[in-house]
């Protein structure tokens, strides 16, 4: 079969099973768009800004565990993608970004819309390619998909000069699925002995703790993690990225850990004697002061990335490889050794944990005058029965979703955990909604974040995406204000929003339904109405308490046992 | 464990566009210094070999090795520091050589088994190969002789014995 470079790109994407491309056309990719125009099996989603394309592809990938694909032009096309690529990279999301480049004879001449795409993206992607000849297009695409989706996943950029996509020059096309990349191998150190040793150590624990992260979601190991945890009857906590991998409604789940984690999760971390870390990377927002992290614990770390092992915290036992496979084997060995578990000690440990839970660290003062943001999330959870896909932006609202929307399934909670990208939520919801057209997708955002990618409301109209946007509007960059209240004596430098648009009208001008909720008594009724619209995007502007803070909180540089609790938390309970 | 020391690292890397930037970029992004770096093709044209010298603690070095290994273009990487290995560096030195200094310079060159490779009426250009300490000792020994230009290759390293850095990935 003889094909042009552009046709080879489209055929390669088909062979990889790509159903959606998120993109924006421009000079350097017009040949590719022309070939795409003729393609029936691939649907293109036209975003309104390239950053939106990357977040939408990212949201798609997080929702359905398939790589998201982006197509943008050279110069500003690819530079606009930088934030989205970095977001995906920090959270290990598989993504393919195809960027046009000026024709080869212009490269290096400061041509119109020329930017060094591979140079700019090098530090924020898993790998990138600049294609130099037509013959290597197909092979490069196959390599890119292998690299993006295997091992620790991540974004891969393919930069392709315009002349290589010329529709008039055709070459033989063959797509070889089985290719080897000499310098790329997914490393493992798993062997039966090591896993058996880990199982023995786990079963010897008197105060065990399981701490799992995004790696369980990415590794599709939620079932195995749940099975192992149930088998052991041990307490478990999830990181921000790992929420949903273990059902939040289960009694063994202690909530999220870390800076805004629960009292019981953080105290259990601080006091445990054996810690099983699964697909988590000991991020600073999780560990707090590393010198005080799990001071009494032997640590077992399961991860697919060798460089995650002992990067932040020295671990005693590492199992490197596919999380699902390792957990399966760990279950087998645990079954073998489980009679050695000191059940009396575990019961005592649970009693201690129950005493921490009595703190009720997530309680907040209810109000009949102002809408409490926590109440909005709890109400959302109630109405949607906890079954929605929820995307978020970054800040207080993100933490409140993490704390109060109890996710029971993986892939349902979609947020920018590593990079902390404001503007992520709405485009990510586009991706999730396209991946699951029949499911409810809610974007919880704030009035500051939403304005960073508000233009994607237009994309939602074009493709009829019935996303529900819940805007927690407190007229502040809430998390910035919170830190200024705590650490800058209440000097709210530039953290207020002085000229907020009328969001309901703004949404209407984009062709959607706009609503305002400003009274606590209307919250449940109006949210129910909003979520009830099956085929329309509804933008709900919820006017919330301006001064509410996210609790509990571990201040930077403090240990897990040094949390600030909400003023409303149960102070009568004795500290550990 | 946590005291900075000199680490000499050998890297086999795909001889591809951008490979050097990836490695150099990793060092700057993660806050490591590069004391010196040399790159050249191997007997296999598609593979380059780098030798890199950096100062860091053993803990940081072990993280660095993992990060280097994680780069898609890197085929193999090895920290030569704690195993028996041979290091060589080359120095090209252009010095002022007045009539009075010529004998002394020739003597020093002989003592260090260096070679004079270019001569003008006012200068000598000297070539010296050896471990870094020898290079430094030679430069030191010149005393008041004026150095006009100094070029060093940076260290090259190879393990002793039959050990080799394989293409094993």
């Amino acid at each position: 079969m003889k094909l042009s470079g552009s046709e080879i790109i489209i055929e390669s994407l088909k062979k990889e099973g790509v159903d959606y491309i998120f993109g924006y056309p421009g000079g350097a990719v017009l040949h590719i768009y022309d070939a795409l125009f003729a393609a029936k099996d691939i649907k293109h989603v036209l975003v309104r800004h390239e950053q939106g394309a990357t977040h939408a592809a990212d949201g798609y990938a997080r929702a359905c565990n398939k790589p998201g694909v982006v197509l943008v032009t050279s110069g500003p096309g690819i530079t606009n993608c930088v934030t989205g690529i970095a977001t995906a990279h920090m959270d290990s999301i598989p993504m393919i970004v195809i960027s046009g480049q000026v024709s080869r004879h212009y490269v290096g001449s400061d041509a119109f819309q020329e930017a060094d795409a591979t140079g700019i993206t090098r530090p924020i992607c898993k790998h990138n390619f600049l294609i130099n000849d037509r013959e290597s297009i197909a092979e490069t695409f196959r390599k890119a998909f292998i690299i993006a989706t295997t091992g620790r996943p991540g974004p891969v950029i393919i930069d392709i000069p315009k002349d290589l996509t010329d529709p008039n020059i055709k070459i033989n096309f063959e797509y070889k699925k089985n290719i080897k990349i000499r310098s790329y191998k997914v490393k493992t150190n798993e062997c039966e002995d090591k896993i058996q040793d880990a199982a023995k150590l786990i079963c010897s624990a008197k105060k065990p703790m399981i701490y799992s992260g995004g790696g369980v979601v990415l590794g599709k190991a939620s079932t195995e993690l749940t099975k192992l945890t149930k088998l052991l009857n041990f307490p478990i906590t999830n990181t921000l990225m790992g929420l949903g991998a273990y059902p939040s409604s289960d009694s063994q789940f202690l909530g999220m850990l870390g800076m805004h984690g629960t009292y019981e999760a953080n105290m259990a971390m601080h006091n445990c004697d054996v810690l099983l870390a699964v697909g988590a990377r000991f991020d600073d927002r999780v560990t707090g002061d590393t010198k005080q992290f799990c001071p009494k614990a032997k640590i077992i770390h399961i991860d697919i990335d060798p460089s995650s092992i002992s990067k932040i915290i020295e671990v005693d036992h590492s199992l490197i490889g596919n999380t699902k496979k390792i957990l399966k084997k760990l279950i087998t060995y645990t079954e073998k050794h489980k009679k050695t578990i000191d059940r009396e000690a575990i019961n005592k440990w649970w009693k201690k944990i129950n005493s921490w839970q009595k703190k009720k660290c997530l309680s907040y003062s209810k109000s009949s005058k102002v809408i409490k943001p926590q109440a909005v999330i709890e109400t959302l959870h109630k109405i949607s029965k906890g079954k929605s896909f929820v995307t978020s932006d970054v800040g207080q609202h993100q933490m409140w979703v993490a704390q109060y929307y109890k996710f029971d399934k993986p892939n349902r909670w979609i947020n920018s955990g590593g990079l902390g990208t404001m503007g992520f939520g709405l485009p990510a919801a586009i991706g999730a909604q396209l991946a699951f057209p029949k499911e409810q997708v809610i974007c919880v955002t704030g009035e500051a974040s939403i304005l960073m990618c508000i233009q994607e409301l237009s994309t939602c109209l074009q493709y009829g995406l019935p996303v529900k946007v819940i805007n927690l509007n407190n007229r502040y960059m809430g998390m910035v204000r919170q830190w200024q209240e705590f650490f800058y004596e209440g000097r709210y430098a530039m953290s207020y929003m002085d000229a907020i648009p009328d969001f309901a009208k703004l949404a209407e001008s984009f062709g959607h339904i706009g609503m305002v909720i400003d009274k606590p008594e209307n919250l449940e009724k109006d949210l129910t109405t909003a979520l009830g619209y099956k085929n329309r995007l509804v933008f709900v502007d919820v006017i919330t308490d301006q001064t509410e803070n996210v609790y509990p909180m571990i201040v930077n540089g403090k240990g897990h046992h040094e949390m600030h609790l909400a003023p409303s938390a149960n102070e009568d309970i004795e500290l550990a | 464990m946590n005291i900075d020391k000199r680490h000499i690292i050998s890297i086999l890397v795909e001889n591809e566009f951008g490979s050097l930037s990836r490695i150099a970029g990793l060092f700057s992004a993660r806050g490591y210094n590069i004391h010196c770096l040399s790159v050249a093709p191997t007997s296999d044209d598609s593979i380059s070999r780098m030798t890199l010298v950096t100062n860091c603690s053993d803990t940081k070095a072990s993280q660095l090795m993992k990060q280097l290994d994680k780069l898609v273009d890197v085929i193999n990487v090895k920290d030569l520091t704690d195993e028996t290995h041979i290091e060589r560096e080359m120095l090209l030195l252009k010095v002022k050589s007045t009539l009075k200094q010529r004998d002394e310079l020739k003597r020093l060159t002989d003592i260090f088994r260096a070679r004079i490779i270019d001569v003008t009426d006012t200068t000598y250009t000297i070539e010296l190969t050896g471990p870094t300490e020898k290079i430094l000792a030679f430069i030191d020994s010149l005393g008041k002789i004026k150095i006009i230009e100094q070029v060093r290759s940076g260290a090259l390293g190879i393990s002793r014995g039959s050990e080799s850095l394989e293409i094993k990935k």
Side-chain angles (χ1 to χ4, degrees):
Chain A
M1 189 164 44
K2 288 218 168 220
L3 296 177
S4 71
S6 293
E7 289 163 339
I8 290 174
I9 293 172
I10 303 301
E11 286 308 312
S12 303
L13 293 176
K14 282 187 196 166
K15 297 271 187 208
E16 293 294 343
V18 173
D19 47 5
Y20 283 104
I21 295 180
F22 302 87
Y24 204 103
V29 284
L30 283 181
H31 293 326
I32 305 174
Y33 267 88
D34 200 45
L36 186 59
F37 193 68
K40 294 277 180 295
D41 322 351
I42 301 180
K43 294 180 270 299
H44 179 269
V45 178
L46 176 70
V47 293
R48 298 302 184 265
H49 185 293
E50 287 90 348
Q51 183 184 348
T54 50
H55 292 329
D58 184 326
Y60 171 91
R62 292 183 204 232
C64 68
N65 267 334
K66 278 170 66 181
V69 179
V70 175
L71 173 58
V72 293
T73 193
S74 62
I78 183 65
T79 59
N80 275 345
C81 288
V82 166
T83 302
I85 295 168
T87 304
H89 186 52
M90 284 293 271
D91 290 342
S92 311
I93 305 303
M95 187 190 281
I96 304 287
V97 179
I98 306 155
S99 60
Q101 181 53 276
V102 298
S103 291
R104 280 175 298 175
H105 57 281
Y106 284 128
V107 169
S109 71
D110 299 324
F112 177 65
Q113 292 194 330
E114 181 184 357
D116 176 8
T118 46
I120 290 167
T121 57
R122 193 169 295 129
I124 52 159
C125 65
K126 186 169 176 187
H127 196 59
N128 60 20
F129 295 96
L130 169 60
I131 301 185
N132 260 322
D133 59 276
R134 232 173 294 270
E135 285 67 28
S136 64
I137 297 175
E139 191 188 329
T140 305
F141 270 74
R142 181 68 197 123
K143 281 183 182 173
F145 275 87
I146 292 173
I147 292 167
T149 56
T150 57
R152 181 175 181 173
V156 177
I157 290 90
I158 306 172
D159 199 33
I160 179 158
K162 186 174 184 180
D163 58 313
L164 294 180
T165 61
D166 186 338
N168 300 313
I169 306 174
K170 306 210 172 198
I171 57 161
N172 267 329
F173 171 69
E174 189 192 356
Y175 203 70
K176 291 192 197 119
K177 271 270 176 184
N178 290 321
I179 57 166
K180 273 200 88 169
I181 307 168
R182 173 172 62 183
S183 60
Y184 178 74
K185 194 179 168 208
V186 180
K187 296 228 157 83
T188 65
N189 76 348
E190 52 179 297
C191 61
E192 301 297 321
D193 285 359
K194 283 196 81 141
I195 299 176
Q196 170 137 260
D197 287 350
K200 280 186 195 160
L201 180 55
I202 291 166
C203 293
S204 75
K206 293 190 163 39
K207 297 174 175 180
M209 183 65 172
I210 301 171
Y211 141 65
S212 80
V216 178
V217 180
L218 291 161
K220 300 174 198 157
S222 178
T223 316
E224 288 74 14
L225 176 73
T226 309
K227 193 172 169 194
L228 177 68
T229 310
K230 286 270 140 205
L231 178 70
L232 290 161
N233 187 32
F234 285 179
I236 179 167
T237 178
N238 284 169
T239 68
L240 178 68
M241 296 309 298
L243 290 173
Y246 188 86
S248 300
S249 53
D250 187 83
S251 60
Q252 282 167 248
F253 185 64
L254 305 189
M256 182 173 77
L257 82 165
M259 183 175 272
H260 294 298
T262 65
Y263 184 70
E264 49 272 30
N266 285 337
M267 289 304 282
M269 290 292 286
H270 189 74
N271 290 286
C272 69
D273 66 350
V274 173
L275 178 72
L276 174 63
V278 191
R281 63 183 177 89
F282 300 84
D283 173 81
D284 57 280
R285 288 297 195 262
V286 158
T287 60
D289 179 13
T290 50
K291 290 191 190 73
Q292 301 188 64
F293 180 81
C294 295
K296 300 158 201 158
K298 289 253 181 227
I299 303 177
I300 302 162
H301 190 188
I302 304 176
D303 208 284
I304 198 155
D305 179 1
S307 75
S308 280
I309 307 295
S310 297
K311 183 174 81 170
I312 312 282
I313 301 288
E314 194 71 35
V315 301
D316 303 280
H317 208 97
S318 70
L319 300 172
I320 300 165
N322 180 293
T323 315
K324 195 182 180 81
K325 264 170 63 186
I326 295 175
L327 282 176
K328 267 188 184 161
K329 286 185 187 163
L330 201 53
I331 290 170
T332 313
Y333 285 114
T334 303
E335 269 163 350
K336 197 171 136 195
H337 293 284
K338 104 180 156 172
K339 48 184 182 302
T340 66
I341 296 176
D342 181 348
R343 284 293 167 199
E344 208 171 305
I346 303 295
N347 285 341
K348 227 173 119 191
W349 176 230
W350 268 115
K351 282 209 178 96
K352 189 82 201 160
I353 291 168
N354 293 338
S355 77
W356 291 324
Q357 285 172 321
K358 287 195 186 118
K359 274 272 178 198
K360 301 228 172 290
C361 68
L362 291 181
S363 64
Y364 57 94
S365 46
K366 309 270 193 271
S367 167
S368 56
K369 292 198 180 69
V370 285
I371 299 177
K372 288 286 179 179
Q374 300 94 326
V376 181
I377 310 300
E378 285 186 328
T379 311
L380 270 179
H381 182 263
K382 187 177 160 197
I383 302 170
S384 62
K385 300 185 179 73
K387 286 180 176 161
S388 296
F389 284 82
V390 183
T391 72
S392 89
D393 281 296
V394 170
Q396 286 186 321
H397 69 269
Q398 177 190 27
M399 291 301 114
W400 284 319
V401 178
Q403 292 174 332
Y404 296 95
Y405 197 100
K406 311 285 183 193
F407 292 92
D408 277 338
K409 283 184 180 164
N411 304 89
R412 300 280 162 133
W413 167 227
I414 294 170
N415 82 122
S416 166
L419 197 67
T421 307
M422 289 167 74
F424 175 80
L426 178 60
I430 291 176
Q433 188 75 79
L434 285 163
F436 293 96
K438 295 210 172 86
E439 302 281 336
Q440 182 138 57
V441 178
I442 300 173
C443 164
V444 177
T445 182
E447 83 290 334
S449 282
I450 190 69
L451 285 173
M452 287 209 183
C453 269
I454 191 84
Q455 75 284 347
E456 300 309 330
L457 282 176
S458 180
T459 309
C460 292
L461 185 73
Q462 182 166 348
Y463 299 96
L465 303 174
V467 170
K468 305 295 177 281
V469 182
I470 311 297
N471 186 38
L472 300 187
N473 187 343
N474 62 359
R475 286 83 73 210
Y476 272 114
M477 289 159 215
M479 192 58 94
V480 174
R481 190 203 53 71
Q482 177 170 343
W483 281 53
Q484 288 172 334
E485 180 188 325
F486 289 179
F487 313 122
Y488 299 89
E489 298 166 333
R491 291 186 297 279
Y492 299 136
M494 322 327 164
S495 59
Y496 68 101
M497 299 293 271
D498 209 9
I500 299 172
D502 180 333
F503 284 106
K505 277 192 187 154
L506 183 66
E508 281 165 16
S509 78
F510 273 103
H512 303 301
I513 297 170
M515 281 171 70
V516 181
I517 307 179
D518 54 4
K519 293 191 181 59
E521 62 268 28
N522 295 343
L523 183 63
E524 185 165 348
K525 175 171 63 76
D526 288 356
L527 274 182
T528 309
T529 309
L531 264 53
Y533 284 99
K534 286 285 166 252
N535 304 313
R536 295 288 300 276
L537 184 149
V538 185
F539 192 112
V540 192
D541 193 17
V542 190
I543 312 301
T544 59
D545 186 354
Q546 279 200 283
T547 57
E548 191 56 273
N549 290 324
V550 180
Y551 290 108
M553 180 168 180
I554 301 173
V555 173
N556 263 349
K558 297 282 183 184
H560 277 154
H561 58 306
E562 300 170 295
M563 266 163 289
H564 286 285
L565 295 180
S568 56
N570 199 344
E571 291 294 343
D572 305 336
I573 304 296
E574 211 177 304
L575 282 166
Chain B
M1 265 302 254
N2 284 313
I3 302 155
D4 280 3
K5 71 172 198 204
R6 180 176 181 275
H7 283 265
I8 178 161
I9 296 165
S10 278
I11 307 165
L12 284 181
V13 62
E14 292 289 346
N15 184 8
E16 265 177 28
F17 162 86
S19 295
L20 176 60
S21 316
R22 277 182 227 285
I23 288 164
L26 187 148
F27 275 75
S28 62
R30 297 197 180 261
Y32 292 87
N33 65 69
I34 299 178
H35 179 67
C36 65
L37 168 69
S38 73
V39 197
T42 60
S43 52
D44 178 343
D45 269 355
S46 66
I47 297 173
S48 294
R49 174 140 175 170
M50 293 186 185
T51 310
L52 197 150
V53 176
T54 182
N55 274 309
C56 63
S57 65
D58 286 347
T59 319
K60 278 193 96 176
S62 119
Q63 176 61 210
L64 173 61
M65 298 300 286
K66 291 181 195 168
Q67 292 293 345
L68 283 168
D69 203 25
K70 195 162 134 180
L71 291 175
V72 171
D73 282 342
V74 169
I75 298 167
N76 204 350
V77 51
K78 191 175 196 180
D79 190 343
L80 296 175
T81 316
D82 289 330
E83 59 178 79
T84 50
H85 67 278
I86 303 159
E87 276 183 45
R88 288 293 180 270
E89 185 174 347
M90 181 183 263
L91 167 75
L92 297 177
L93 200 64
K94 193 175 285 180
V95 293
K96 192 142 195 169
S97 118
T98 57
L99 225 62
K100 274 199 291 188
Q101 291 165 323
R102 290 198 163 197
D103 282 353
E104 173 63 5
L105 267 170
K106 179 74 176 93
R107 237 187 333 269
L108 280 171
T109 307
D110 289 343
I111 291 168
F112 279 88
R113 287 182 206 141
R115 292 197 299 153
I116 296 165
I117 53 173
D118 191 35
V119 179
T120 71
D121 52 350
T122 54
T123 64
Y124 271 178
T125 301
I126 303 163
E127 172 199 322
L128 173 63
T129 307
T132 302
E133 310 85 74
K134 181 176 171 183
I135 305 277
L136 294 175
F138 177 66
I139 296 169
D140 253 8
S141 74
L142 293 174
K144 287 196 177 126
I145 294 168
K146 188 173 167 20
I147 297 170
I148 299 166
E149 212 177 346
Q150 173 182 320
V151 191
R152 287 167 62 180
S153 65
L156 304 176
I158 195 164
S159 19
R160 262 193 199 280
S162 55
E163 278 280 297
S164 73
L165 194 55
E166 302 157 48
I167 307 166
K168 67 169 179 196
K169 258 196 181 176

